[in-house]
Amino acid sequence: MRDRDRKPKFHRSEGSKGADKRPERRRETGRRPPWRGREGADDDTVILYGWHTVTAALANPRRQIRKLLLTENAARRLTEDKIDTRVTPEIVRPNLIDQRLGPDAVHQGLLMEADPLDSPGIDTLAEAGIVLVLDQITDPHNVGAIMRSAAAFAVKAIVTTARHSPEATGVLAKSASGALELVPLVTVQNLARSLNEMNERGFMTVGLDSQGHENLGAVALQEPLALVLGAEGKGLRQLTRETCSVVARLDMPGEIKSLNVSNAAVLALYIGASRLGLMG
């Protein structure tokens, strides 16, 4: 029997309270600390749930898995789709996952505990294509949706602040629908300083703000391009605005002149990718 046809081994959880044997995690020196997750778990454990989120993590060799809980139906589907679980899962009843996540979480019978992914440094950003910069956007649903759009538009990375940003776990990961494994997250301590560094490296940093001087569609965009988005309501902070090389707006023809930040990100990415000839 070929390895790829081999069925994953499962064991059924009996609800024991024995200590988990977690693999020792090594951190490379000189690397920035990972974007940590705390939701629903101890220490820096990342919680991932839902079909697309968990299967994307299983397909990512950089994701170190600690524990995998599956319902019988989810385990059967993984076997039928020949998806390697990489670790021996625990087969549990759906209500056990419900208890872990709460009744509103759509987990589809899959829950993973994993290590956070390492966060690359700002100096590793590719000097081509598009990068997104998030200025204190705290809603995990919005950040997850932005990540999903970023993956669709082949964004090179997302830059965000270490503080005033959601953890890369739980709701955010579910909203990202697997994009957490595809788009590098670069966390920085000081956003204005990082934007200055990007300006010095030749990035065109374009802040999106309703009070921008030009419509984004009329700006002469160039690579590498960094689109900077602010939180809903507050928008870009003053120092962020002052550090961007251009501040532009998104003009709307209808009565409502503003968009949810995740929708604004999609529109800005479409304009940017189209103007730069990145649409294929």
Side-chain angles (χ1 to χ4, degrees), residues 23 25 44-46 62-66 113-117:
R25 294 176 294 139
D44 61 351
T45 304
V46 170
R62 297 183 298 111
R63 179 68 80 179
Q64 296 299 311
I65 304 168
R66 299 181 183 181
E113 293 182 8
D115 286 2
L117 296 172

Side-chain angles (χ1 to χ4, degrees), residues 45-61:
T45 304
V46 170
I47 298 297
L48 306 173
Y49 60 89
W51 181 262
H52 294 296
T53 304
V54 171
T55 55
L58 290 172
N60 183 5

